[in-house]
Amino acid sequence: MKTAIGNGIIELVEGDITLQEMDAIVNAANSSLAGGGGVDGAIHRRGGPEIMAETDRRYPNGCPTGSAVISGAGNLPARYVIHAVGPVWTGGKAGEAELLTGAHRRCLELAAEHGCQSIAFPAISTGVYGYPLSLAANVAIETAIQFMQQHEQPQLVRFVLFGRSAYEAFDAALQATASVNSM
Ligand code: APR
């Protein structure tokens, strides 16, 4: 599904983030940038060891929760990997929404700073970190729409969802938010 936002497009697809031919793909990383399972495992497996060699060299102190850092993409069919650190869900009263907003926003800023026209996000924090899908979808979609209304780049923001229920959660969030924004 594609929705026009400002001069750009938000697109939802079901699939694997590591296969996306985009200027930038986003990793759901941890604050030590130490690798892991899920998206993080898939990106480093398919992208090869040079991605972590670069993040170790450039970001020896890791990345704070709610932010993101950028590296090359190794063997992946993207130019950059943006390593975003979403919050662990602990019930919603520990600033999780602000941190998840910050992580998405920083990814979009880094993409714009590096001249990326297209960026693909997974559903950050909704796996091991336990963030409820529908709440995370609202944050991700709202942050993308707000950024795209204020900036020329990136023009294409694609959310790559693993499985039908993740796709449906993002679809509901996009329909709700886009209709409010077009009123
Ligand atoms: N492509 C797209 N989405 C994927 C893929 C993939 N290849 N693999 C998993 N997912 C989905 C999951 O189903 C989930 O909805 O991405 C979402 C995020 O899940 P996680 O990768 O577990 O990320 P997160 O919840 O942010 O947890 C981050 O997990 O792997 C570790 O090092 C990582 O400590 C960090 C933590």
Side-chain angles (χ1 to χ4, degrees):
M1 163 162 154
K2 289 187 187 181
T3 301
I5 304 290
N7 294 325
I9 289 174
I10 291 186
E11 184 179 19
L12 309 181
V13 300
E14 245 187 280
D16 182 339
I17 190 97
T18 65
L19 302 178
Q20 305 300 312
E21 295 182 13
M22 301 286 274
D23 289 333
I25 65 165
V26 174
N27 183 16
N30 53 61
S31 57
S32 14
L33 304 177
V39 172
D40 208 355
I43 282 181
H44 288 293
R45 245 187 337 271
R46 202 179 282 269
E50 69 188 74
I51 298 176
M52 200 171 292
E54 182 180 342
T55 55
D56 284 350
R57 189 175 68 247
R58 291 178 66 185
Y59 312 109
N61 299 322
C63 172
T65 302
S67 190
V69 296
I70 192 164
S71 74
N75 303 325
L76 296 168
R79 283 166 55 208
Y80 299 103
V81 175
I82 300 178
H83 306 265
V85 185
V88 176
W89 177 261
T90 57
K93 294 190 178 141
E96 290 97 328
E98 290 76 11
L99 291 166
L100 192 59
T101 299
H104 283 85
R105 193 174 169 81
R106 187 67 193 130
C107 289
L108 293 160
E109 287 170 357
L110 283 167
E113 286 166 16
H114 288 77
C116 296
Q117 293 290 3
S118 59
I119 181 170
F121 283 91
I124 299 171
S125 283
T126 66
V128 173
Y129 282 180
Y131 209 116
L133 253 176
S134 60
L135 299 182
N138 287 338
V139 169
I141 294 286
E142 279 169 20
T143 308
I145 288 178
Q146 198 179 62
F147 192 90
M148 292 171 85
Q149 285 172 336
Q150 293 165 353
H151 301 82
E152 295 292 314
Q153 281 185 317
Q155 288 197 338
L156 172 61
V157 177
R158 180 183 292 164
F159 289 94
V160 182
L161 292 327
F162 221 45
R164 200 68 207 163
S165 57
Y167 181 91
E168 281 168 3
F170 275 71
D171 188 28
L174 181 55
Q175 291 195 31
T177 314
S179 67
V180 168
N181 276 271
S182 66
M183 284 197 295

